[in-house]
Amino acid sequence: NAGVTQTPKFQVLKTGQSMTLQCAQDMNHNSMYWYRQDPGMGLRLIYYSASEGTTDKGEVPNGYNVSRLNKREFSLRLESAAPSQTSVYFCASKTMEGEPQHFGDGTRLSIL
Amino acid sequence: KQEVTQIPAALSVPEGENLVLNCSFTDSAIYNLQWFRQDPGKGLTSLLLIQSSQREQTSGRLNASLDKSSGRSTLYIAASQPGDSATYLCAVTTGGSNYKLTFGKGTLLTVNP
């Protein structure tokens, strides 16, 4: 039972480099989400996809882009990484309104 | 803008004690409220979800209550165990935005043997 799988688990980038974080879920969920978690700030929503083919901005979308590749996969791209994007990134999914979100184990990203 | 506050930020108790974690939110027009557990270096695990029309939910030693009108929820943990040590997060889905969660910053719970 894989649930929500995020790759990579750890990554170190230099300022200005680009990178795509991958997320896949095997629960046939409709909605998918990207969050970042920072000390003292809690979890904040970056982007979400309510259903396949749609994406919307969350609370902190600047500097990020997303792609809902198909129902299973939702990727997050940093085009030009900045030190302020050092964080732990979580992907989540859920099947429908009123149901709980299921989270992956996170990607720990450091930008030097 | 919805804001979620959790008190206390950290709590340390001896094994066997009953305890209460608190969560408050500023906009009472919520769709539901969830309690999550996060272990160090791990993702979040959903513990309980309370719909806006419900007053409480129970799972094993956990009981979560919701008072929507006052903007408050509590998570009650009975007979705490060292394995309960984790960060507990409260999150709300605000009405009209059924897909998005707003999180509190969490309560770090340590249960001492």
Side-chain angles (χ1 to χ4, degrees):
Chain A
N1 234 5
V4 179
T5 302
Q6 292 185 234
T7 55
K9 295 189 184 305
F10 302 92
Q11 185 70 47
V12 179
L13 294 178
K14 294 181 179 179
T15 297
Q17 288 184 318
S18 61
M19 172 162 192
T20 299
L21 308 185
Q22 307 287 352
C23 174
Q25 51 90 9
D26 62 2
M27 297 172 282
N28 201 36
H29 285 173
N30 294 314
S31 304
M32 298 186 73
Y33 308 79
W34 277 106
Y35 295 90
R36 60 178 289 173
Q37 186 175 35
D38 302 290
M41 299 294 293
L43 276 105
R44 293 179 291 170
L45 182 66
I46 305 171
Y47 271 93
Y48 69 102
S49 171
S51 61
E52 187 179 358
T54 68
T55 60
D56 286 285
K57 295 178 180 179
E59 185 182 354
V60 288
N62 291 344
Y64 305 95
N65 286 301
V66 291
S67 296
R68 183 74 183 267
L69 304 170
N70 47 56
K71 191 171 186 180
R72 290 187 62 249
E73 299 173 288
F74 189 38
S75 63
L76 178 72
R77 183 162 178 85
L78 288 70
E79 290 291 351
S80 179
S84 62
Q85 295 177 305
T86 293
S87 187
V88 182
Y89 291 85
F90 288 101
C91 178
S93 68
K94 74 173 185 179
T95 183
M96 64 178 68
E97 295 175 13
E99 292 296 314
Q101 293 189 13
H102 296 258
F103 282 74
D105 283 343
T107 294
R108 283 143 188 84
L109 182 62
S110 293
I111 299 162
L112 307 177
Chain B
K1 177 185 172 185
Q2 179 72 270
E3 293 183 1
V4 179
T5 302
Q6 291 187 245
I7 294 173
L11 181 64
S12 181
V13 301
E15 182 177 4
E17 198 163 286
N18 302 325
L19 58 99
V20 174
L21 307 181
N22 296 291
C23 171
S24 62
F25 45 94
T26 55
D27 184 350
S28 62
I30 64 168
Y31 191 75
N32 57 45
L33 181 144
Q34 297 181 52
W35 283 94
F36 292 88
R37 168 185 174 136
Q38 186 175 27
D39 293 293
K42 293 292 186 180
L44 281 67
T45 301
S46 180
L47 297 173
L48 290 165
L49 183 150
I50 311 176
Q51 304 292 353
S52 62
S53 59
Q54 297 175 321
R55 296 284 292 181
E56 65 177 342
Q57 282 285 338
T58 298
S59 176
R61 294 182 293 108
L62 305 179
N63 175 276
S65 67
L66 173 64
D67 184 342
K68 199 174 74 164
S69 61
S70 68
R72 294 181 182 180
S73 176
T74 61
L75 179 66
Y76 175 82
I77 301 177
S80 58
Q81 302 170 0
D84 295 330
S85 298
T87 297
Y88 290 81
L89 295 156
C90 167
V92 298
T93 306
T94 304
S97 178
N98 295 332
Y99 300 100
K100 297 188 289 186
L101 286 172
T102 302
F103 283 85
K105 295 179 181 178
T107 294
L108 175 61
L109 174 65
T110 303
V111 181
N112 301 300

